[in-house]
């Protein structure tokens, strides 16, 4: 699984804001690696599938939205790439018309650090920028007002923890675990069913907002068929985090009940699951779906300098707020120090799991 | 001059953010008083002049923007008022059509506290919300993408201090003063000419962004004809602030040079000046222009409980950042304590000046 997938950082709790040591802005280079990998594919999809003549006839402006943008710089790079690809396609298709104006909407939850996002917007941007606060599990834009919707490393975050995981009397009670690796099938089902509900709401909302012929591109951690969750990079990473929590229970630093009632609201779908959800929604034509296997060898070489400490910095930028809210801020430094040590110690296992990781890449077009 | 005008709070420096003691959110009730006064007038203008059939044919959504919104709650109240008036007009004019969806754009400079704005958005709002960071002295939206542009107590702030005021060798050098009351005509001219340049840029940008038939409503402090600047509430208030600075120079707390190089970038235009600028721009039909005289008696009664301390809290919410940047944060408490005492002492003079204050109210329609 790609490093981006393993430490996907967007969710119901915002990334760490600002530009300090633990900020997302300073700890999102791994996400960029994955974004780089799909950049070319997005350009291809735009070149091959987007009909600019229909979308921008009569001098209409072109509206792009990034759902789950967090703070910069990754979202700025993504928007710039989309803009340039669209512009290129327009010039090929409508060589005598004037290039459309672009408006870019940066969406994330209202608690996201929009102040940082806004003050770091590229000064030489070729688009009008707007921030849109609110959950993408719901409507955010007027009918047919977007031409290109994009979401990167965000949709694997669930809108909430499935309730049955917290119910002591439920067969899905997730005792002593914080995720769905190495646990009951019922727990996996609860996660999978929450993901299906969330995607249904997301696709319904975007179907209303994206104009006919407009594009929806999604990338997120994916689950390869036939590989147990616990053997993926993401599963393994979370297992280490879980074992840090359990160590802290054993040392009396946190209570068992606290761990029992904490579950990470993220899920990696298989390509088949995703295809089925898109088909069930019915509003989009599937232009491309792909489970990109991370290139393990390449990752090993290029990430050889990443120590456990750097990986924990990335995880911390994405999860600190969520964990603090449940366990209190006082355990944070201790927890992530333990995590860094554990990851460093077991780094060779994580490295081999890289080969079993994957990124879902989906290109849809609004019917 | 209305209290709102006297302590107009938007400018090149943002209002104090957050919701603390000195925040704009907690210190903008006086601005709301003035907004209340024009609310009915805006409703009337929409009812009489806005052609909803043209603007929202074919189920198009209706886009409203507030230029210089600061943080809540005043901007939310204004947007809600506009939305309800537009909806009422639509139902009258197109009783069988479905009410349009609304998108509201909240604009202020990138350094505005959008995080506070976004987390205090009304939960029961009937519009899709977006924040637009950047100076309204320039383009912020695509061509013809707005149906209703609004700006309240913001346009009297200049984009910058006229440069000649700072030049020791210029006849407009504004020695020992921080504003244009009781000073050289050349200084007044420099202020007035900067205001003209700024309004030209503002009107040019909005002319491109507002659709044909769309509306632009502006309210800001105005200057009644025949009344010296120094006798208006705003002029008098700033004179007190200036004299606090000069007291601090005399006591050796700040240097004379610091005061010489500080000028408040605000200007109150007369109705005639404003009309001329609109005509020179040429893109809008004038539907209504009005210099509303503040009702002194009413203000005296309703504001009798406002002490100098409360007035200084309002002034501080709007000017603290600007003053801190020039003089340093260490003088702020001292300065505003002095100001509060001075205002309290001379409150009767401020009260009588209320009668000489005015609010410019302008309704334009894009040709």
């Amino acid at each position: 699984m790609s490093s981006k997938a393993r430490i996907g950082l967007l969710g119901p709790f915002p990334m760490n804001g600002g530009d300090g040591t633990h900020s997302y802005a300073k700890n999102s280079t791994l996400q960029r690696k994955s974004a780089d990998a799909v950049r070319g594919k997005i350009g291809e999809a735009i070149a091959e599938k987007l009909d600019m003549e229909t979308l921008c006839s009569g001098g209409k402006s072109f509206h792009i939205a990034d759902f789950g943008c967090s703070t910069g710089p990754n979202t700025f790079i993504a928007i710039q790439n989309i803009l340039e690809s669209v512009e290129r396609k327009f010039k090929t298709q409508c060589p005598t018309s004037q290039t459309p104006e672009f408006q870019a909407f940066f969406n994330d939850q209202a608690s996201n650090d929009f102040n940082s996002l806004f003050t770091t917007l590229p000064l030489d941007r070729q688009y009008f920028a707007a921030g849109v606060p609110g959950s993408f599990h719901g409507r955010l834009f007027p009918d047919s007002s977007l031409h290109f919707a994009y979401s990167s490393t965000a949709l694997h975050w669930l809108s909430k923890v499935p309730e049955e995981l917290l119910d002591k009397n439920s067969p899905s009670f997730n005792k002593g675990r914080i995720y769905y690796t190495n646990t009951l099938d019922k727990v996996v089902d609860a996660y999978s069913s929450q993901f299906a509900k969330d995607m249904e709401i997301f696709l319904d909302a975007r179907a209303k907002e994206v104009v006919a012929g407009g594009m929806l591109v999604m990338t997120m951690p994916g689950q390869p068929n036939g590989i147990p969750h616990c053997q993926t990079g993401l599963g393994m990473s979370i297992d280490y985090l879980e074992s840090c929590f359990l160590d802290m229970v054993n040392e009396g630093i946190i209570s068992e009940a606290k761990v029992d009632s904490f579950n990470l609201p993220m899920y990696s779908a298989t390509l088949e699951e995703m295809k089925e959800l898109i088909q069930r929604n019915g509003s989009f034509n599937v232009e491309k779906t792909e489970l990109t296997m991370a290139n393990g060898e390449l990752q090993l070489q290029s990430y050889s300098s990443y120590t456990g400490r750097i990986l924990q910095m990335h995880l911390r930028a994405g999860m600190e707020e969520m964990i603090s809210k449940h366990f209190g801020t006082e355990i944070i430094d201790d927890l992530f120090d333990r995590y860094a040590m554990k990851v460093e110690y077991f780094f060779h296992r994580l490295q081999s799991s890289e080969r079993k990781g994957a990124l879902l890449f989906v290109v849809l077009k609004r019917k």
Side-chain angles (χ1 to χ4, degrees), chain A:
Chain A
M1 182 161 287
S2 79
S3 298
K4 175 189 186 184
R6 183 171 68 239
I7 49 169
L9 298 189
L10 282 163
F13 290 83
M15 306 296 90
N16 281 347
D19 60 357
T21 315
H22 298 299
S23 67
Y24 174 80
K26 287 261 170 75
N27 293 285
S28 51
T29 49
L30 298 184
Q31 283 79 348
R32 192 190 304 181
K33 280 263 168 204
S34 282
D36 287 351
V38 296
R39 194 180 303 170
K41 291 179 203 283
I42 294 174
E44 277 169 32
I46 289 171
E48 290 166 20
K49 308 288 186 177
L50 207 62
D51 181 5
M52 290 304 296
E53 218 164 320
T54 325
L55 292 179
C56 282
S57 63
K60 276 187 293 195
S61 53
F62 192 92
H63 304 168
I64 306 165
D66 182 359
F67 292 90
C69 64
S70 186
T71 54
N74 291 349
T75 185
F76 305 137
I77 297 168
I79 293 289
Q80 185 61 25
N81 173 49
I82 293 165
L83 186 154
E84 285 170 12
S85 302
V86 168
E87 203 169 52
R88 223 170 7 247
K89 179 67 187 288
F90 185 84
K91 282 182 178 158
T92 313
Q93 220 184 337
C94 319
T96 58
S97 305
Q98 194 170 356
T99 312
E101 291 180 319
F102 289 89
Q103 191 168 26
F105 294 93
F106 297 91
N107 158 256
D108 211 317
Q109 303 186 65
S111 54
N112 182 50
D113 188 354
F114 280 96
N115 287 353
S116 288
L117 183 80
F118 285 171
T119 48
T120 55
L121 275 164
L123 294 176
D124 60 348
R125 63 188 183 271
Q126 301 140 278
Y127 51 83
F128 299 110
V132 173
S135 164
F136 51 55
H137 294 116
R139 285 290 300 279
L140 291 164
F141 294 91
D143 274 351
S144 303
S145 62
L146 296 177
H147 303 91
F148 199 101
Y150 169 78
S151 181
S152 176
T153 334
L155 286 161
H156 62 301
W157 286 101
L158 302 176
S159 65
K160 61 173 184 176
V161 172
E163 279 153 27
E164 54 269 49
L165 303 185
L166 306 173
D167 177 1
K168 279 185 187 161
N169 303 316
S170 152
S172 316
F173 181 52
N174 203 19
K175 188 166 173 52
R177 325 289 330 210
I178 62 165
Y179 198 46
Y180 60 82
T181 49
N182 299 313
T183 182
L184 308 167
D185 282 352
K186 289 260 182 216
V187 171
V188 183
D189 291 348
Y191 267 97
S192 150
S193 131
Q194 184 63 48
F195 178 76
K197 277 182 218 157
D198 286 348
M199 275 308 296
E200 194 181 336
I201 292 169
F202 179 85
L203 290 172
D204 273 349
R206 301 303 82 80
K208 292 199 176 69
E209 296 163 357
V210 175
V211 297
M215 208 167 247
L216 168 56
V217 171
M218 306 180 282
T219 69
M220 70 192 93
Q223 179 64 33
N225 271 329
I227 292 179
H229 293 294
C230 62
Q231 282 182 30
T232 64
L234 181 58
M236 217 175 267
S237 275
I238 304 298
D239 281 352
Y240 294 145
L241 186 68
E242 186 177 275
S243 78
C244 296
F245 278 124
L246 296 179
D247 291 349
M248 289 168 88
V249 169
N250 288 335
E251 294 172 34
I253 298 168
I254 51 177
S255 75
E256 209 176 335
K258 271 280 174 203
V259 173
D260 290 349
S261 56
F262 182 74
N263 292 278
L264 282 174
M266 1 189 271
Y267 182 76
S268 305
T270 63
L271 189 55
E272 285 61 39
E273 262 180 300
M274 184 52 89
K275 280 183 184 168
E276 198 191 310
L277 292 169
I278 294 162
Q279 199 173 11
R280 199 190 301 166
N281 167 271
S283 305
F284 295 92
N285 286 320
V286 178
E287 301 295 343
K288 187 163 198 163
T289 56
E290 195 178 284
L291 192 77
T292 314
M293 300 304 288
N295 183 335
E297 294 306 325
L298 191 72
Q299 298 244 347
L300 291 193
Q301 280 161 23
S302 51
Y303 291 154
S304 59
S305 65
Y306 282 106
T307 63
R309 186 147 297 278
I310 285 168
L311 285 173
Q312 73 88 7
M313 294 283 276
H314 275 68
L315 195 80
R316 181 171 179 162
M319 294 190 180
E320 177 167 347
E321 183 144 346
M322 192 188 320
I323 294 172
S324 296
K325 193 153 185 191
H326 188 85
F327 292 97
T329 50
E330 63 282 5
I331 72 147
I332 293 294
D333 284 337
D334 186 3
L335 175 72
F336 284 104
D337 283 348
R338 287 164 188 262
Y339 179 77
M341 279 189 291
K342 204 155 288 209
V343 166
E344 196 139 21
Y345 189 73
F346 290 113
F347 197 54
H348 61 286
R349 282 172 58 190
L350 268 175
Q351 283 177 308
S352 71
S353 75
E354 285 288 328
R355 293 186 183 79
K356 302 186 188 74
L359 194 70
L360 268 180
F361 175 67
V362 178
V363 178
L364 307 180
K365 223 168 109 177
R366 182 72 173 94
K367 285 178 184 169

